[in-house]
Amino acid sequence: MKAAHGNPRKVGIIGCGNVGATFAYALTLSGLASEIVLIDANEKKAQGEAADLNHAVPLLQPTRITAGGYADLAGAAVTVITAGSAQRPGETRLDLLQRNVTIFQSIIPRVVESNPDGILLIATNPVDILSYAAWKISGLPHERVIGSGTVLDTARFRHLLSQAYEVDPRSVHAYIIGEHGDSEVPVWSLANIAGMRLDEYCKANHRKVPALDREAIFHATRDAAYEIIEAKGATYYAIGAGLLRIVESILRDQGTVLSVSNYIEQYYDISDVYISLPCIIDRHGIAQSLCLSLDAGELMAFRDSANLMKTYLEQLAL
């Protein structure tokens, strides 16, 4: 199915650090893209990454991979932005705010000038605030500005639940919503395996699962990045896979439901903020943000998370 603009299989990547390079490698392995353009402030780094990836192409699917400039983004179906100041050990995502907004004010206008019809996928942290900033700076419809949001947190959550229940993580359906960060919200009330709530699943299958420590699982989900950063300096494999999954839904027009950061309008009286909810993603970007039936505690926590994001946005005066 052909996209509505440019090359339906061309992808731009801005930022060739750990996340950008890992995503570029995953994208090359997948064979999804016919063309990949790498851009970095350090042009030599982008050229090196492109050369290394090109040497893998004879063993994979044909893909044109180049290191270029912003003009080379023309016609790209999606441009993935991973550029920005890195998160430091012990630093919260929100501490990154002002430094990365300044970087975006330099990057985003040049992307849109070269590719006004493409989709922007933001991965730089703090991703919810920077997705909102990218939308404001770009002037694009909010459906075409997507943040990677809690797609990674949701994957971590499902992984931990799969370990507790000893099932394939792909069979666990559960979401983390809200901020991609400390105020994120686990939706326990809707978590299920094979359509059965967690307790129902155990009873129906006579499973003797140890008492589930929900607080411990949530803390392990929420704090995973801090632990990984302390251990090895950065996280990049799982978010690279998450970005690939989002881009796949765009390039293949799949209509996949993923927990991404998107612009919220009148969701439980919450408006004018980017934050994560399950969304349907297709070749046009965000096709629909889904309204979950949250319990009272989850709704209160989600509102608190949204209000925290709005507090930071007000300080930026975007």
Side-chain angles (χ1 to χ4, degrees):
M1 183 178 293
K2 190 173 181 179
H5 51 278
N7 180 345
R9 295 178 59 213
K10 179 177 179 179
V11 178
I13 303 173
I14 301 178
C16 292
N18 287 328
V19 173
T22 301
F23 167 61
Y25 180 56
L27 185 61
T28 303
L29 289 176
S30 75
L32 280 171
S34 61
E35 183 176 356
I36 302 171
V37 178
L38 304 178
I39 299 174
D40 195 274
N42 182 342
E43 294 181 10
K44 189 172 182 179
K45 177 73 160 63
Q47 291 166 358
E49 296 291 357
D52 200 4
L53 290 169
N54 272 312
H55 297 162
V57 169
L59 307 172
L60 304 169
Q61 298 296 317
T63 309
R64 182 171 181 263
I65 305 170
T66 59
Y70 288 92
D72 298 305
L73 296 173
V78 57
T79 299
V80 180
I81 301 180
T82 70
S85 182
Q87 187 175 358
R88 298 163 183 166
E91 182 181 51
T92 69
R93 293 178 178 89
L94 296 177
D95 290 334
L96 297 173
L97 176 55
Q98 191 57 62
R99 282 182 287 138
N100 283 334
V101 167
T102 300
I103 292 171
F104 269 40
Q105 288 170 333
S106 171
I107 290 174
I108 300 296
R110 287 187 280 178
V111 175
V112 175
E113 181 181 7
S114 298
N115 187 19
D117 298 320
I119 292 168
L120 294 180
L121 174 54
I122 311 301
T124 310
N125 281 318
V127 70
D128 304 290
I129 296 169
L130 289 177
S131 297
Y132 186 98
W135 168 56
K136 282 289 190 178
I137 294 167
S138 69
L140 295 176
H142 59 75
E143 295 85 359
R144 290 201 278 125
V145 180
I146 306 169
S148 57
T150 59
V151 70
L152 173 54
D153 311 83
T154 291
R156 289 169 173 158
F157 191 38
R158 292 171 62 197
H159 164 70
L160 290 168
L161 288 173
S162 77
Q163 288 189 317
Y165 288 94
E166 299 181 341
V167 294
D168 186 335
R170 295 171 299 178
S171 299
V172 177
H173 305 285
Y175 290 103
I176 297 288
I177 62 173
E179 176 202 2
H180 171 54
D182 295 341
S183 71
E184 64 189 34
V185 181
V187 185
W188 288 106
S189 66
L190 299 177
N192 71 88
I193 298 170
M196 292 180 282
R197 299 292 189 264
L198 301 182
D199 290 342
E200 295 171 357
Y201 171 80
C202 291
K203 291 177 183 177
N205 293 279
H206 307 290
R207 300 293 299 276
K208 293 183 178 180
V209 177
L212 195 67
D213 189 338
R214 291 189 173 190
E215 199 69 16
I217 286 179
F218 170 57
H219 287 167
T221 300
R222 184 194 62 193
D223 300 337
Y226 298 125
E227 295 177 4
I228 294 170
I229 289 169
E230 183 180 359
K232 70 172 201 168
T235 68
Y236 38 89
Y237 295 133
I239 185 57
L243 292 171
L244 179 66
R245 190 67 191 88
I246 297 168
V247 168
E248 178 184 12
S249 190
I250 294 169
L251 298 186
R252 290 184 169 170
D253 196 22
Q254 289 179 332
T256 307
V257 176
L258 295 167
S259 54
V260 295
S261 190
N262 70 119
Y263 184 71
I264 301 299
E265 293 181 287
Q266 292 303 314
Y267 180 88
Y268 289 114
D269 299 323
I270 298 167
S271 293
D272 195 31
V273 66
Y274 261 76
I275 202 164
S276 284
L277 286 169
C279 295
I280 300 173
I281 302 172
D282 62 16
R283 64 175 177 158
H284 302 293
I286 301 288
Q288 184 180 352
S289 180
L290 303 178
C291 186
L292 301 178
S293 297
L294 304 175
D295 69 24
E298 293 161 353
L299 178 55
M300 181 180 296
F302 183 78
R303 281 185 170 139
D304 289 344
S305 187
N307 287 334
L308 178 62
M309 297 301 96
K310 289 177 76 70
T311 297
Y312 282 92
L313 290 172
E314 288 166 1
Q315 293 176 2
L316 290 177
L318 289 167

Short mmCIF file of all heavy atoms in Angstrom, two decimals, residues 41 56 117 208 235 266:
data_model
loop_
_atom_site.label_atom_id
_atom_site.label_comp_id
_atom_site.label_asym_id
_atom_site.label_seq_id
_atom_site.Cartn_x
_atom_site.Cartn_y
_atom_site.Cartn_z
N ALA A 41 25.30 15.84 13.93
CA ALA A 41 26.13 17.05 14.01
C ALA A 41 27.59 16.70 13.73
O ALA A 41 28.34 17.52 13.19
CB ALA A 41 25.98 17.69 15.39
N ALA A 56 26.93 -4.48 5.74
CA ALA A 56 26.04 -5.58 6.12
C ALA A 56 24.98 -5.84 5.06
O ALA A 56 24.39 -6.94 5.03
CB ALA A 56 25.35 -5.26 7.45
N ASP A 117 5.79 16.98 4.38
CA ASP A 117 4.69 16.01 4.35
C ASP A 117 4.97 14.74 5.14
O ASP A 117 4.12 13.84 5.19
CB ASP A 117 4.37 15.63 2.89
CG ASP A 117 3.91 16.82 2.08
OD1 ASP A 117 3.15 17.64 2.63
OD2 ASP A 117 4.33 16.94 0.91
N LYS A 208 -0.46 -21.84 40.32
CA LYS A 208 -0.12 -21.37 41.66
C LYS A 208 1.02 -20.36 41.55
O LYS A 208 2.19 -20.67 41.81
CB LYS A 208 0.28 -22.54 42.55
CG LYS A 208 -0.88 -23.49 42.86
CD LYS A 208 -0.46 -24.59 43.81
CE LYS A 208 -1.64 -25.49 44.13
NZ LYS A 208 -1.27 -26.59 45.06
N THR A 235 20.78 3.21 27.69
CA THR A 235 19.87 2.17 27.19
C THR A 235 19.64 2.41 25.71
O THR A 235 19.45 3.56 25.30
CB THR A 235 18.51 2.22 27.93
OG1 THR A 235 17.82 3.40 27.58
CG2 THR A 235 18.71 2.20 29.43
N GLN A 266 -9.27 16.64 25.38
CA GLN A 266 -10.49 16.21 26.09
C GLN A 266 -10.51 14.72 26.40
O GLN A 266 -11.42 13.99 26.02
CB GLN A 266 -11.72 16.62 25.27
CG GLN A 266 -11.95 18.11 25.18
CD GLN A 266 -12.07 18.76 26.56
OE1 GLN A 266 -12.77 18.27 27.43
NE2 GLN A 266 -11.38 19.88 26.75
#
